[in-house]
Amino acid sequence: MDVVNKLWGFCNTLRHDGIDYGDYIEQLTYLLFLKMADEKGIAIPQGCEWDNLKSYSGTDLADYYLDILRQLREERGLLGDIFAQAMPRFNNPVNLKRLIAMIDEEEWTSLDVDVKAQAFEGLLEKAASEGKKGAGQYFTPRVLIQSIVRLMKPDPRVSPHFKICDPACGTGGFLVAAYQWLMEQTGGVFDRKDLKRIKSQTYYGQDLVPRPRRLALMNLFLQGLEPTIYLGDAIYESDRAERYDCILTNPPFGTKGANQVPGRDDFTIETSNKQLNFIQHVLTTLKPGGRAAMVLPDNCLFEDKAGEVFKIVMQDCNVHTVLRLPRGTFTPYSQGVKANVVFFQKGLPTQAVWIFDARSNVPGVTKKERPLTFQHFAEFERCYGDDPDGNGKREDLGLEGRFRRFSLAEVKERDYKLDLTWLKDESLEDPNNLPEPQDLASEAITELEAVVDDLKDILALMELDGDEL
């Protein structure tokens, strides 16, 4: 797309000014907002107008821009949220002037919503793939997000109180895709009584870091939405008593910052594993009858504590489907991570778990030669069926097939651990088709981290016992 290429081309210029991808997109967010507010005639604080900003140059421009950001970050509501902790990052005011001129060339509000959103998402995607570190930590491949959304059918028209949430929303990919799916279903035509609610009381998220939260707010604003995106750590904060009908999320991988067990009464199983705590958080925040799809790394299916968590979840929820994702799904962002998507509905206990193996004997995903495409999930979507709660007619494809049904008794035999496999992965024995060394190393690290998590929990128990003596 021309708009993305133009904006991205300028980003390469700015790198010589010491501005990284994330900083660039953040500054772009501020300036785009001011330009579109000007085009739409949205009231913003006096002195922050686009026409004023573009009339300055040199050090006067840099000073004026600093004053605008300072004023806007103190505002209440969506304005204050988007500009929270906003600071200028331009060392050279000439570059700021050039970016303002470039944005001024486009009539952004006359562009189709999809064009604006695609331009912004295109930049986020480029930042994630080019920057490797930084944006990748909160980026889920769009192909995977769209597949999950198609299956989960997050339709706010079914109830006047329907709410969709991503408690680890990053830049808002799941929330954007959920709204885009709704637009495809409706052609953008809603009952008047539903319109305001869908736009301003339906899409919720949270992120720990200010930058991705800001980008999520802007991303959803470009879709014409007024979302609620909280800033903070979803698993360490106390429950805010909000409940959701549909939760779509990819909690951050890894154990960084996860040495502490959350002190929450609603978490039955004490563990320092972040993803297992996210599962417990989702269990709390789902409404009865609500459904969830969570991206989880392999260790969340086989750790000792994983079995304990899923035992609890299966008593309250129908954990009906697990998708084993292809190797390299998160290339190039989190290379080598093996992951799954777990689908469940709250309110009924689990009777059986269906597992789809999209990994065995599937060539690993690479950035250029074998990118992730819709075809990776086409068979799974057919097997999953039309019912978002997994109650459609399904067929066990047997020992040679990719889709199998496991009874609750079989899951119990494995202590509720869901790393069930049956296909022999020939590719692991073919010396010409082995995973990349860095992928194998990353897999080994994941398994070691799982062992470390278990050891931490044992140590914590020993300390607890020692305190009681």
Side-chain angles (χ1 to χ4, degrees):
M1 179 186 292
D2 289 345
V3 177
V4 177
N5 290 335
K6 188 160 81 169
L7 292 171
W8 192 250
F10 188 54
C11 180
N12 292 327
T13 304
L14 288 179
R15 287 180 68 197
H16 299 298
D17 194 21
I19 297 174
D20 68 17
Y21 300 106
D23 282 339
Y24 173 55
I25 294 173
E26 194 170 61
Q27 299 300 307
L28 188 62
T29 302
Y30 305 149
L31 295 167
L32 269 178
F33 188 94
L34 292 171
K35 174 69 161 69
M36 287 191 293
D38 176 67
E39 290 173 7
K40 286 182 162 186
I42 293 171
I44 59 171
Q46 193 171 1
C48 299
E49 296 86 357
W50 180 256
D51 280 348
N52 284 352
L53 181 64
K54 71 180 189 183
S55 68
Y56 285 90
S57 58
T59 53
D60 288 343
L61 173 62
D63 292 344
Y64 186 68
Y65 182 51
L66 174 63
D67 287 341
I68 286 179
L69 295 187
R70 188 183 291 136
Q71 194 170 343
L72 290 173
R73 67 183 181 233
E74 290 167 7
E75 288 294 306
R76 298 174 69 84
L78 188 63
L79 260 184
D81 284 343
I82 287 179
F83 288 91
Q85 300 178 8
M87 290 294 290
R89 290 280 183 257
F90 294 90
N91 298 317
N92 184 344
V94 172
N95 286 329
L96 172 58
K97 183 73 174 175
R98 280 184 60 195
L99 183 55
I100 289 170
M102 201 181 296
I103 290 170
D104 199 49
E105 285 172 9
E106 296 285 346
E107 186 73 20
W108 288 86
T109 48
S110 67
L111 294 176
D112 186 83
V113 163
D114 285 344
V115 175
K116 287 182 294 196
Q118 282 170 19
F120 197 64
E121 286 175 31
L123 282 168
L124 291 175
E125 195 157 357
K126 273 180 173 284
S129 59
E130 301 274 337
K132 297 250 183 17
K133 291 183 179 174
Q137 70 190 341
Y138 40 78
F139 197 88
T140 308
R142 189 143 285 102
V143 170
L144 174 58
I145 287 176
Q146 288 168 341
S147 178
I148 291 170
V149 167
R150 276 193 296 273
L151 295 174
M152 295 294 280
K153 298 180 169 49
D155 192 340
R157 295 172 299 166
V158 301
S159 154
H161 309 291
F162 195 95
K163 289 184 167 73
I164 301 159
C165 180
D166 180 350
C169 69
T171 56
F174 272 112
L175 299 173
V176 167
Y179 182 65
Q180 288 177 341
W181 173 85
L182 179 67
M183 295 295 280
E184 285 168 19
Q185 299 300 306
T186 61
V189 178
F190 302 105
D191 285 350
R192 185 171 291 181
K193 64 180 174 56
D194 291 334
L195 185 61
K196 187 174 190 309
R197 169 181 64 84
I198 288 172
K199 296 274 189 185
S200 61
Q201 296 164 37
T202 300
Y203 297 90
Y204 290 76
Q206 178 156 349
D207 204 86
L208 176 62
V209 183
R211 178 182 283 171
R213 174 185 180 249
R214 185 192 334 278
L215 296 177
L217 285 163
M218 188 64 175
N219 211 356
L220 289 153
F221 173 78
L222 287 172
Q223 301 285 340
L225 298 174
E226 296 170 41
T228 300
I229 309 285
Y230 298 107
L231 180 65
D233 193 323
I235 57 176
Y236 287 99
E237 292 176 355
S238 55
D239 174 27
R240 64 167 61 88
E242 282 184 2
R243 300 293 179 258
Y244 305 102
D245 300 85
C246 185
I247 295 178
L248 309 169
T249 191
N250 176 10
F253 294 162
T255 58
K256 192 174 178 186
N259 296 326
Q260 198 178 336
V261 175
R264 279 179 55 167
D265 296 338
D266 55 317
F267 285 14
T268 311
I269 306 301
E270 289 193 359
T271 174
S272 57
N273 180 297
K274 278 193 302 190
Q275 292 88 12
L276 293 179
N277 284 319
F278 261 102
I279 295 170
Q280 297 190 87
H281 175 72
V282 170
L283 180 60
T284 291
T285 53
L286 263 184
K287 288 180 187 174
R291 55 187 177 267
M294 297 186 71
V295 180
L296 295 168
D298 271 18
N299 66 296
C300 284
L301 304 191
F302 66 71
E303 268 193 39
D304 283 345
K305 290 282 186 177
E308 293 179 43
V309 168
F310 275 109
K311 181 179 179 181
I312 299 292
V313 174
M314 286 184 186
Q315 290 168 4
D316 284 351
C317 300
N318 180 18
V319 181
H320 52 80
T321 313
V322 176
L323 166 64
R324 297 184 77 222
L325 292 168
R327 288 171 186 273
T329 291
F330 296 92
T331 299
Y333 322 119
S334 301
Q335 219 150 337
V337 166
K338 289 193 293 184
N340 314 268
V341 186
V342 179
F343 299 82
F344 55 96
Q345 183 190 19
K346 187 172 178 177
L348 291 169
T350 302
Q351 301 296 323
V353 180
W354 290 78
I355 298 182
F356 188 96
D357 186 346
R359 184 183 307 165
S360 298
N361 304 312
V362 174
V365 172
T366 61
K367 186 179 171 187
K368 290 184 179 160
E369 295 83 11
R370 295 189 301 272
L372 196 68
T373 69
F374 161 71
Q375 286 306 317
H376 281 96
F377 307 116
E379 186 187 353
F380 170 63
E381 289 187 31
R382 286 193 299 273
C383 289
Y384 187 101
D386 282 336
D387 187 319
D389 297 320
N391 295 319
K393 193 172 186 321
R394 291 178 164 187
E395 180 188 355
D396 187 321
L397 300 179
L399 285 169
E400 301 298 315
R402 293 196 177 275
F403 199 42
R404 300 286 319 276
R405 180 186 186 275
F406 295 89
S407 68
L408 183 62
E410 290 173 289
V411 175
K412 269 185 182 175
E413 278 175 21
R414 296 183 51 83
D415 295 324
Y416 296 90
K417 294 175 185 178
L418 292 173
D419 56 329
L420 293 137
T421 55
W422 61 96
L423 289 173
K424 186 178 180 187
D425 197 342
E426 310 287 349
S427 62
L428 294 180
E429 296 183 8
D430 177 0
N432 298 318
N433 197 26
L434 283 173
E436 294 295 319
Q438 66 264 33
D439 293 353
L440 291 170
S442 180
E443 287 174 21
I445 288 167
T446 301
E447 297 194 17
L448 284 169
E449 283 179 341
V451 174
V452 168
D453 278 346
D454 286 341
L455 287 171
K456 277 182 194 166
D457 291 328
I458 291 165
L459 279 171
L461 283 171
M462 290 170 68
E463 285 171 15
L464 198 62
D465 288 346
D467 291 343
E468 289 172 358
L469 291 175

